[in-house]
Amino acid sequence: MRVNKKYSCLPAEEKGIHIINIRAIEDIGYDQHESTLLNSLSKNPDADCKYGLYFRDGKRKVDYILVYHYKKSSAGKTLTRRVHHNDSSARSAKQDQPLPGRGVQLEMGESEPHIDYHEDDKRFRREEYEGNLVEAGLELERDEDTKIHGVGFVKIHAPWNVLCREAEFLKLKMPTKKMYQINQTHGLLKKINSVIQKITEPIQPKVAEHKPQTVKRLSYPFSREKQHLFDLSDRDSFFDSKTRSTIVYEILKRTTCTKAKYSMGITSLLANGVYSAAYPLHDGDYEGENVEPNDRKLLCEEWASYGVFYKYQPIDLVRKYFGEKIGLYFAWLGVYTQMLIPASIVGIIVFLYGCATVDENIPSMEMCDQRNNITMCPLCDRTCSYWKMSSACATARASHLFDNPATVFFSVFMALWAATFMEHWKRKQMRLNYRWDLTGFEEEEDHPRAEYEAKVLEKSLRKEHKHKETDKEKLTWKDRFPAYLTNFVGIIFMVGLTFAIVFGVIIYRISTAAALAISSTPSGRSSVRVTVTATAVIINLVVIIILDEVYSCIARWLTQIEVPKTDKNFEERLIFKAFLLKFVNAYTPIFYVAFFKGRFVGRPGDYVYIFHSFRMEECAPGGCLMELCIQLSIIMLGKQLIQNNLFEIGIPKMKKFIRYMKLKRRRSLDHEEHMKKKQRYEVDYNLEPFAGLTPEYMEMIIQFGFVTLFVASFPLAPLFALLNNIIEIRLDAKKFVTELRRPVAVRAKDIGIWYNILRGIGKLAVIINAFVISFTSDFIPRLVYLYMYSENGTMHGFVNHTLSSFNVSDFQAGTAPNDPMDLGYEVQICRYKDYREPPWSENKYDISKDFWAVLAARLAFVIVFQNLVMFMSDFVDWIIPDIPKDISQQIHKEKVLMVEVFMREEQGKLQMLETWKDKDKKKGENCNNHSPRLSRSHSGSLSSCHSYPLDV
């Protein structure tokens, strides 16, 4: 009966009626009605175990769930369950023999099913693994009588001694009995803080963990020898559910299964399909009338609701429920969203400044003035005709909204903002580390992944077969070289694919512009450029969204074939590949418009052609900055709206609906079974499994790039990012609380490799914005004209200065307009935007001196801007300390208090030892005062007196 001790499948007693005896009565011959009557006399076992949160005894809490699939016989559910336990009992005696037992004979006799050796192998592995878990101290309970047919659940409980042992192994910091006062501010700062608390009180979440604390418990790594230091008055709540599930998961990872292909824990068993899922349970329901208060319900009300979007996040409660790693993600997202508020305000001011000064902008006024009568050269060969510059008036006025002197200031501001954000996050991170008792925490090397162990075993078997070597093997760079080569070739191919798609969109723009110029009416030709730009950007957006999903799968596959050793290595390599591919995918079209469009056009009479027929694109007379703004805004808003929000809402809902339909199709027609309330582990099994934080971080990092990299061309980017993030926080919160299985809590003291990526984007943003301002916008040409060429110190004549002249008689054969009289008069000289010599010059159409003067000024601005802003960013980084002063004082205070606690403990031990020595001396004197005969007769007592201090 070892298995019956190992698995407590049903309650031992319920009001004097033994459930197993009831099933035995049913076997003897009682009909279903009588057995139902006996069952009705007993108490509802599901209510005792709080519908799956506890074992059937109602006392032991379920800390973890293992799920497996099994095939049921045609004889019915009751027989199958009974057969399973008979099989287990027989198998516990001898697993390698055919499985005896009455239940097996019944099943073979009635249906004679085909023997499935694959299923038997899985069952053997499960039994051995679960036996090893029991030997490790865990307590298990099996349940196959569920509403989900063909799915069995193994409930795992960690008793107190196992929790203490593992907490000591993991060096978990737990609160001690010692409490100390947290340093409070005094004087003016105290008054300011109290005023701020009163003002922000309406936007604080109504949770106990979020209230400001004046005292804190001293924490120390748990030790079984020093249990007297810890407050163990309530053992049930000393280790919370998050800590209990973490401890059980560590045991599951290191418990081996020798019948598997390689000796590994739960990861290999999940990979081989021995178990289909493994997860901790949620604390309970989050909605309903009679739902007991729990942390999940509180999080749903105060965090995962769109109605509390204006409130702070209850980060401490998030950490308590989901663990430090997820808590740090939401804390970082909250800090990032808060820092977007000042950036959005400044961006709105810059945009409003452009709106207010658009009527005072002399270059756009000159372009809109029809009296200037500037005739521009055709935008395409043959089919396009000459056009008036005044027809581009709307584009020129719109360009000023984003291309004005204030955008330069805003670029400098955003560079400093990025540096301040990073420093602010580092300080916030240190505060959280102190509050969550993570100071001094160092991540230990994780267990090897199942795939790595499989490759190592395969390599060792090959060597053992050849050379009879049994040394411990590991994968070297030679073993991984084919994977590295595949990674390199795959990434180059994906980057080339992205460039090819962007090139295809360029061809589309050129060909569509030419086609529309032929077919459009004279009034419609003025909107050709806007139509082509908008449709091309939409195509880019659709391609980016599709390739993002493709690149995610490819990055995961490329990382898997590398076979990283640990989960941390796997995650870091996956993040690097996914970020590289998605960065290139998202920003390549924007880089093209910002730095390449209009740069390699050539000139009238000597244009640059693609495939000898398509002429390269030109920028609008107002510059490419307006088009860059359109491209950036549509891609950014489209990604946020479609990919980040609709996909995150729609796809989980669709998966949930598909699972529901499958379960509905499988559901039995038994009315009693249908009406039975689901257990907690059944409900959680129907939720979506947690896939990690990489997708959540990735979308925010890409958004951070949109906000910082090209902010000079789109000052409203921080505002749209802020609005998106307000929704994103509650959307992610709702997903974690209501739609995902509860993830295993993972300890972490920082956000890992993402911080380095953020710093890299911040540095790159300074360089890109310097080039956008100097080469994409007209800021530098205007300065050069104002201080070098303007006759009266104003911008009058700037537009004419930037245009070169071309004699229409110099067109190449077959490229001149088909309708030269489209404007109603004969054109002899047309203008185009470039710095070149006029046709009446000796070196006609050569680059003029003005071009080199402007180029020198542009390069000088890039160098000065980049170094100045980098210096200012580093100065901000240096002047703001990484660790807040009060936190460093508290950490030092904790160390001093801990030393005092141990010193007092040592002094107490010494005093006790001195007391025992004094007692021993007195006993020795009493012994010496006795008579010699008495001394000889009590020699044993004397020896025991003298040996007592040694025992102590």
Side-chain angles (χ1 to χ4, degrees):
M1 296 298 291
R2 182 176 68 87
V3 177
N4 291 337
K5 294 178 182 178
K6 174 172 152 184
Y7 301 110
S8 48
C9 300
L10 291 170
E13 287 186 2
E14 292 180 357
K15 287 196 174 181
I17 298 176
H18 204 289
I19 299 298
I20 296 180
N21 291 339
I22 290 174
R23 293 192 175 276
I25 291 170
E26 183 184 345
D27 292 341
I28 293 172
Y30 281 93
D31 62 6
Q32 184 65 28
H33 174 75
E34 292 173 353
S35 65
T36 304
L37 178 62
L38 288 170
N39 279 326
S40 66
L41 296 175
S42 65
K43 191 177 177 182
N44 182 12
D46 290 342
D48 289 343
C49 66
K50 294 187 178 181
Y51 295 98
L53 289 174
Y54 288 82
F55 276 23
R56 288 284 180 178
D57 56 12
K59 297 177 181 178
R60 291 173 291 173
K61 186 176 177 62
V62 177
D63 298 318
Y64 218 87
I65 291 291
L66 299 180
V67 187
Y68 60 91
H69 289 276
Y70 67 94
K71 292 185 178 180
K72 304 188 74 171
S73 68
S74 60
K77 177 182 63 183
T78 305
L79 176 63
T80 305
R81 183 173 179 178
R82 184 171 64 252
V83 169
H84 177 79
H85 292 299
N86 288 337
D87 289 354
S88 300
S89 302
R91 212 174 290 118
S92 64
K94 191 170 184 180
Q95 292 182 349
D96 297 332
Q97 295 294 329
L99 307 177
R102 185 174 61 85
V104 175
Q105 293 171 2
L106 283 171
E107 184 179 357
M108 295 293 289
E110 291 180 9
S111 58
E112 297 184 0
H114 177 71
I115 299 175
D116 191 341
Y117 294 103
H118 187 61
E119 289 297 322
D120 285 344
D121 180 58
K122 288 183 179 180
R123 189 162 58 249
F124 287 145
R125 294 192 199 182
R126 283 197 297 267
E127 290 186 353
E128 187 204 359
Y129 182 69
E130 290 162 14
N132 293 339
L133 292 180
V134 172
E135 291 178 3
L138 298 178
E139 297 176 2
L140 311 182
E141 182 178 272
R142 188 187 298 276
D143 185 8
E144 292 182 356
D145 187 16
T146 64
K147 294 188 74 173
I148 307 175
H149 288 203
V151 176
F153 297 89
V154 177
K155 295 173 277 187
I156 302 176
H157 168 76
W160 172 256
N161 60 330
V162 174
L163 293 173
C164 293
R165 181 191 72 204
E166 297 299 322
E168 185 173 353
F169 291 166
L170 296 174
K171 301 177 183 177
L172 296 179
K173 274 191 173 183
M174 304 302 294
T176 63
K177 297 176 183 177
K178 175 69 175 177
M179 301 182 72
Y180 67 94
Q181 195 81 16
I182 297 176
N183 294 339
Q184 301 293 323
T185 55
H186 301 284
L188 181 61
L189 285 177
K190 185 177 181 180
K191 294 180 180 179
I192 294 173
N193 287 338
S194 63
V195 171
I196 293 174
Q197 286 179 6
K198 290 180 180 178
I199 294 173
T200 59
E201 187 175 356
I203 60 175
Q204 299 291 345
K206 297 177 182 178
V207 296
E209 286 79 1
H210 201 77
K211 294 179 180 178
Q213 297 177 347
T214 56
V215 294
K216 186 178 184 292
R217 286 190 178 273
L218 193 64
S219 296
Y220 185 73
F222 188 82
S223 172
R224 287 172 289 181
E225 295 180 356
K226 294 182 171 57
Q227 287 193 31
H228 57 277
L229 295 177
F230 302 93
D231 184 12
L232 303 179
S233 56
D234 186 6
R235 290 191 172 188
D236 292 336
S237 62
F238 183 73
F239 295 106
D240 57 12
S241 59
K242 167 197 58 120
T243 307
R244 296 175 72 98
S245 63
T246 303
I247 288 173
V248 173
Y249 183 64
E250 286 296 323
I251 298 175
L252 293 176
K253 283 199 297 184
R254 72 165 185 260
T255 302
T256 58
C257 176
T258 56
K259 288 192 184 304
K261 292 181 181 179
Y262 35 90
S263 178
M264 191 50 197
I266 189 62
T267 52
S268 66
L269 299 177
L270 288 170
N272 290 324
V274 178
Y275 291 102
S276 58
Y279 52 88
L281 291 179
H282 280 291
D283 279 358
D285 292 325
Y286 60 89
E287 59 184 359
E289 295 180 359
N290 300 322
V291 176
E292 294 184 2
N294 57 72
D295 287 342
R296 188 188 187 193
K297 186 175 185 295
L298 187 59
L299 282 172
C300 188
E301 293 172 352
E302 294 294 328
W303 182 50
S305 173
Y306 294 110
V308 294
F309 72 92
Y310 59 92
K311 288 188 177 183
Y312 286 100
Q313 299 182 85
I315 292 298
D316 291 325
L317 185 59
V318 175
R319 171 254 177 180
K320 177 186 174 184
Y321 193 78
F322 291 110
E324 286 79 6
K325 192 170 185 178
I326 294 176
L328 281 173
Y329 163 71
F330 282 102
W332 173 84
L333 184 55
V335 170
Y336 172 47
T337 305
Q338 288 176 10
M339 289 294 293
L340 283 172
I341 295 175
S344 302
I345 294 173
V346 177
I348 292 171
I349 293 173
V350 169
F351 179 73
L352 293 177
Y353 170 81
C355 295
T357 58
V358 67
D359 292 329
E360 301 173 3
N361 183 38
I362 295 175
S364 61
M365 291 170 61
E366 288 184 347
M367 289 183 64
C368 294
D369 190 358
Q370 297 183 0
R371 294 173 297 178
N372 286 336
N373 197 26
I374 299 177
T375 303
M376 302 297 293
C377 294
L379 295 175
C380 61
D381 293 342
R382 294 189 300 276
T383 56
C384 299
S385 185
Y386 305 105
W387 56 283
K388 292 282 190 180
M389 174 171 271
S390 57
S391 63
C393 175
T395 306
R397 288 173 64 86
S399 297
H400 179 73
L401 301 178
F402 306 100
D403 187 5
N404 56 69
T407 56
V408 180
F409 158 76
F410 190 56
S411 300
V412 177
F413 170 81
M414 288 303 294
L416 298 180
W417 172 87
T420 307
F421 162 61
M422 300 304 295
E423 291 304 308
H424 180 43
W425 167 244
K426 280 196 289 187
R427 292 169 64 84
K428 177 71 174 179
Q429 194 170 252
M430 284 304 303
R431 288 188 182 278
L432 293 177
N433 285 343
Y434 164 72
R435 228 158 62 200
W436 296 348
D437 298 321
L438 292 172
T439 52
F441 167 72
E442 294 294 336
E443 294 184 11
E444 298 180 357
E445 186 174 358
D446 201 358
H447 298 282
R449 297 175 65 248
E451 293 82 358
Y452 180 85
E453 289 285 335
K455 284 289 185 183
V456 169
L457 180 63
E458 184 182 339
K459 180 180 178 181
S460 60
L461 289 176
R462 284 200 308 265
K463 283 202 169 185
E464 185 179 352
H465 179 71
K466 292 181 180 179
H467 307 291
K468 304 297 181 183
E469 293 180 2
T470 58
D471 295 339
K472 179 66 177 176
E473 294 290 341
K474 64 179 182 179
L475 298 183
T476 62
W477 68 270
K478 292 181 180 179
D479 301 316
R480 291 193 173 104
F481 180 75
Y484 290 154
L485 184 61
T486 306
N487 270 260
F488 178 76
V489 174
I491 290 175
I492 294 296
F493 175 77
M494 292 301 136
V495 172
L497 176 64
T498 304
F499 288 163
I501 291 174
V502 172
F503 183 73
V505 174
I506 294 170
I507 299 296
Y508 161 81
R509 292 159 64 112
I510 297 171
S511 58
T512 306
L516 289 177
I518 297 173
S519 59
S520 298
T521 60
S523 59
R525 290 175 190 171
S526 59
S527 60
V528 167
R529 189 184 296 274
V530 177
T531 305
V532 171
T533 300
T535 55
V537 172
I538 293 172
I539 292 173
N540 273 326
L541 173 63
V542 173
V543 170
I544 286 171
I545 292 174
I546 294 173
L547 287 184
D548 259 359
E549 302 303 320
V550 174
Y551 286 167
S552 296
C553 300
I554 291 176
R556 180 168 290 276
W557 176 74
L558 290 175
T559 309
Q560 286 173 346
I561 63 174
E562 279 188 54
V563 197
K565 184 175 182 181
T566 63
D567 287 331
K568 184 179 179 182
N569 292 340
F570 181 88
E571 186 180 21
E572 288 180 350
R573 296 185 185 194
L574 174 62
I575 289 170
F576 174 75
K577 294 179 183 65
F579 173 74
L580 178 63
L581 293 175
K582 292 192 175 188
F583 183 90
V584 173
N585 182 39
Y587 297 118
T588 299
I590 301 172
F591 269 94
Y592 164 72
V593 175
F595 302 121
F596 296 99
K597 184 178 178 181
R599 309 292 173 193
F600 311 102
V601 177
R603 60 169 180 82
D606 188 20
Y607 282 116
V608 177
Y609 290 92
I610 303 174
F611 304 133
H612 303 286
S613 56
F614 296 110
R615 213 170 85 186
M616 287 293 291
E617 290 184 286
E618 297 180 46
C619 288
C624 277
L625 198 68
M626 185 60 201
E627 189 172 342
L628 176 62
C629 174
I630 295 172
Q631 184 107 2
L632 186 65
S633 59
I634 292 179
I635 291 177
M636 178 182 177
L637 296 178
K639 274 180 64 68
Q640 289 183 352
L641 181 64
I642 298 174
Q643 195 172 25
N644 298 356
N645 293 329
L646 291 183
F647 279 13
E648 287 193 16
I649 297 173
I651 292 179
K653 295 285 185 186
M654 186 175 64
K655 289 181 178 179
K656 190 175 181 181
F657 177 75
I658 293 172
R659 283 197 303 270
Y660 171 76
M661 294 303 294
K662 286 182 178 179
L663 291 173
K664 190 176 180 181
R665 199 178 302 125
R666 278 192 230 159
R667 190 170 291 162
S668 174
L669 297 176
D670 188 352
H671 180 70
E672 179 188 350
E673 183 75 13
H674 178 70
M675 295 302 293
K676 188 174 67 173
K677 183 177 178 180
K678 280 188 176 182
Q679 304 288 330
R680 177 80 261 152
Y681 43 85
E682 294 179 78
V683 177
D684 287 3
Y685 177 69
N686 293 329
L687 298 177
E688 190 74 14
F690 176 62
L693 289 171
T694 300
E696 313 298 335
Y697 272 113
M698 188 66 71
E699 65 185 56
M700 288 295 106
I701 296 296
I702 296 296
Q703 184 203 83
F704 182 77
F706 281 120
V707 169
T708 55
L709 291 179
F710 297 94
V711 75
S713 62
F714 190 39
L716 295 179
L719 174 64
F720 290 115
L722 173 64
L723 297 176
N724 174 80
N725 288 4
I726 291 173
I727 301 173
E728 180 74 21
I729 290 175
R730 306 303 164 180
L731 182 65
D732 283 349
K734 196 171 186 65
K735 182 173 68 175
F736 272 82
V737 173
T738 65
E739 296 177 0
L740 295 180
R741 293 175 191 161
R742 188 175 183 178
V744 180
V746 178
R747 287 189 297 169
K749 64 178 182 179
D750 52 39
I751 60 175
I753 192 175
W754 297 110
Y755 181 81
N756 297 328
I757 293 175
L758 285 169
R759 283 189 66 88
I761 291 176
K763 299 293 184 184
L764 183 62
V766 177
I767 301 172
I768 290 179
N769 280 305
F771 277 95
V772 168
I773 294 170
S774 60
F775 284 91
T776 308
S777 75
D778 282 339
F779 178 73
I780 299 301
R782 288 173 184 172
L783 284 182
V784 171
Y785 177 79
L786 186 64
Y787 292 106
M788 292 182 62
Y789 300 105
S790 178
E791 297 178 356
N792 52 8
T794 65
M795 292 302 296
H796 287 289
F798 170 73
V799 173
N800 187 59
H801 177 75
T802 58
L803 298 176
S804 298
S805 300
F806 177 74
N807 193 333
V808 298
S809 61
D810 293 332
F811 272 121
Q812 290 182 350
T815 61
N818 295 331
D819 186 9
M821 299 295 293
D822 186 55
L823 294 178
Y825 57 89
E826 184 180 358
V827 178
Q828 295 182 349
I829 298 294
C830 66
R831 309 295 296 276
Y832 61 99
K833 190 172 182 180
D834 204 349
Y835 290 100
R836 290 183 179 271
E837 297 290 344
W840 51 83
S841 172
E842 293 182 2
N843 303 314
K844 65 178 183 178
Y845 306 133
D846 285 350
I847 294 175
S848 64
K849 295 179 181 179
D850 298 343
F851 171 83
W852 299 111
V854 172
L855 179 62
R858 282 173 164 167
L859 294 175
F861 176 83
V862 169
I863 295 172
V864 172
F865 181 90
Q866 176 185 334
N867 286 281
L868 178 64
V869 175
M870 287 283 191
F871 170 76
M872 294 170 69
S873 300
D874 291 341
F875 180 74
V876 170
D877 191 356
W878 172 75
I879 202 172
I880 300 176
D882 294 345
I883 305 177
K885 187 176 180 181
D886 59 326
I887 296 300
S888 61
Q889 291 174 351
Q890 298 289 358
I891 294 173
H892 178 70
K893 186 177 180 178
E894 277 196 352
K895 292 179 180 178
V896 173
L897 289 173
M898 187 55 67
V899 171
E900 289 180 2
V901 168
F902 284 116
M903 289 299 294
R904 287 177 186 173
E905 186 180 0
E906 290 298 323
Q907 289 173 2
K909 288 180 180 179
L910 290 173
Q911 289 177 0
M912 191 178 296
L913 192 60
E914 291 293 334
T915 304
W916 285 340
K917 284 183 178 180
D918 292 340
K919 289 181 180 179
D920 180 59
K921 286 181 181 178
K922 289 179 182 179
K923 288 181 179 180
E925 291 174 358
N926 292 335
C927 291
N928 291 332
N929 291 334
H930 290 305
S931 61
R933 183 183 301 173
L934 191 63
S935 299
R936 283 193 300 272
S937 64
H938 288 61
S939 59
S941 299
L942 279 171
S943 63
S944 65
C945 289
H946 290 294
S947 64
Y948 184 74
L950 295 176
D951 293 339
V952 173

